[in-house]
Amino acid sequence: MSEPTQNSQDVASGHFSSLLKHWRNVRRLTQIELASDANVSARHLCFLETGRSQPSRDMVQLLGSVLDLPLEERNALHVAAGFVPPYGDKGLAAENLQPVRQALDFMLRQQEPYPGIVIDGHWDVRMRNRGSSRLLMPFRDAFDMEGDLGNNAMHAVFHPGGLRQFMVNWAEFAGQLIRILHREVAQGSRASAKLLDEISAYPGVSAEWRLPGHASASSPVMTMQLAKGDYRLSFFSTFTTLAMPTDAVLQQIKIECFFPADEATAEMARQLAASDTGDQHAFSYG
């Protein structure tokens, strides 16, 4: 299971001192080291951690920056100190994010005829292009998963009733994804810590994967090899994130683009695209 010291979900909300000490310990800093990095006195930092002093908004902002917290956690730190969170977190459907949605839509269209998806901080798929629907639908139609789990990229890979049953190289591919989750947990993602616990409970998940630092991948490019009867696909994928976002939701967004790893997959994508008369994209926002 994931280590509880890696995220703040179990730290009492509303207590700035507890959160500050929590994150200093996660970053493996002494009070003197953090005080030096923030250019404040060690005495003042000690008073903040014990609750003897209350921080200003500027101090909260400074400490969140020095601790290199995700924007979601900087929001939590502000709320714990009694301030309005400075970074937006209303979801991808927020009115002010319309230009971003248009940009994401454009990127997915450019990925045609190959699959492209947009994943949020919970690893839920929020947008997908027609290439994704065309090529992966035969597998998705055969999912045997509860509720909306099939729309979560991590659950879809690790659940025995999801893509896992069709993935020829599942152990290799899943091990790579676990490493990504461990990195996100170490960076402070509460959602990734929860996901790591959930998928670790699935049967067949290696006990080694439940701990950070397990063996690294042997290949620089990890392929996803799928087979359902005679229908076979092989992809490698890339992740793209948004540069310098000032919105907590956007900081967690990932655009995953799938590229054919062999000519047979590329030809299948072209053939299905040529016979597709539907819309060029399909998406939802959350």
Side-chain angles (χ1 to χ4, degrees):
M1 306 291 279
S2 60
E3 299 178 17
T5 57
Q6 296 296 311
N7 68 87
S8 63
Q9 64 188 41
D10 296 323
V11 179
S13 61
H15 294 283
F16 174 84
S17 57
S18 299
L19 273 179
L20 176 58
K21 183 177 181 179
H22 163 81
W23 283 115
R24 178 177 62 76
N25 289 331
V26 168
R27 296 300 188 240
R28 294 182 170 86
L29 294 171
T30 64
Q31 285 187 345
I32 292 177
E33 289 171 335
L34 179 56
S36 176
D37 290 344
N39 197 28
V40 300
S41 72
R43 175 186 174 89
H44 184 49
L45 184 66
C46 177
F47 282 7
L48 290 174
E49 283 198 3
T50 59
R52 294 180 64 181
S53 295
Q54 294 301 310
S56 65
R57 174 182 284 275
D58 288 343
M59 179 59 69
V60 177
Q61 189 76 353
L62 172 63
L63 292 173
S65 177
V66 170
L67 289 166
D68 193 25
L69 301 186
L71 299 187
E72 176 187 22
E73 293 301 331
R74 297 190 198 190
N75 277 345
L77 205 62
H78 276 82
V79 171
F83 300 113
V84 175
Y87 303 105
D89 60 355
K90 294 182 179 179
L92 195 54
E95 183 177 351
N96 66 311
L97 296 185
Q98 181 180 357
V100 177
R101 294 195 299 271
Q102 292 174 335
L104 294 173
D105 184 31
F106 177 80
M107 285 187 274
L108 294 184
R109 287 175 181 269
Q110 297 304 304
Q111 182 61 16
E112 293 286 351
Y114 310 125
I117 59 177
V118 174
I119 302 168
D120 67 14
H122 297 270
W123 285 82
D124 289 329
V125 178
R126 293 303 183 188
M127 303 173 66
R128 67 176 77 245
N129 66 358
R130 289 291 300 172
S132 175
S133 298
R134 286 190 303 264
L135 286 159
L136 300 180
M137 193 57 71
F139 304 106
R140 289 179 55 82
D141 284 346
F143 280 8
D144 182 18
M145 303 175 68
E146 306 82 8
D148 293 329
L149 285 181
N151 198 49
N152 181 277
M154 283 292 175
H155 281 288
V157 169
F158 285 88
H159 193 291
L163 273 178
R164 174 175 170 178
Q165 60 186 313
F166 306 113
M167 197 171 295
V168 178
N169 62 333
W170 178 78
E172 187 179 25
F173 186 81
Q176 186 84 329
L177 284 187
I178 282 283
R179 278 184 284 275
I180 294 175
L181 268 188
H182 276 298
R183 285 199 299 270
E184 292 183 348
V185 170
Q187 290 165 1
S189 171
R190 307 186 198 190
S192 294
K194 182 174 182 292
L195 261 180
L196 185 57
D197 285 342
E198 291 172 351
I199 65 177
S200 294
Y202 285 137
V205 174
S206 171
E208 164 182 76
W209 291 351
R210 305 181 188 196
L211 300 173
H214 60 87
S216 60
S218 58
S219 172
V221 178
M222 185 62 59
T223 61
M224 179 177 67
Q225 302 166 22
L226 301 171
K228 185 175 184 284
D230 294 333
Y231 185 65
R232 294 176 174 270
L233 300 172
S234 182
F235 296 104
F236 68 91
S237 63
T238 62
F239 285 108
T240 301
T241 57
L242 301 178
M244 297 183 292
T246 58
D247 182 281
V249 171
L250 293 186
Q251 188 181 55
Q252 302 172 65
I253 287 290
K254 290 181 280 288
I255 304 100
E256 185 173 13
C257 294
F258 296 82
F259 298 90
D262 55 39
E263 181 54 32
T265 300
E267 179 60 23
M268 178 63 70
R270 291 191 291 264
Q271 289 179 4
L272 291 177
S275 61
D276 187 1
T277 59
D279 294 334
Q280 291 302 303
H281 66 287
F283 51 79
S284 61
Y285 303 121

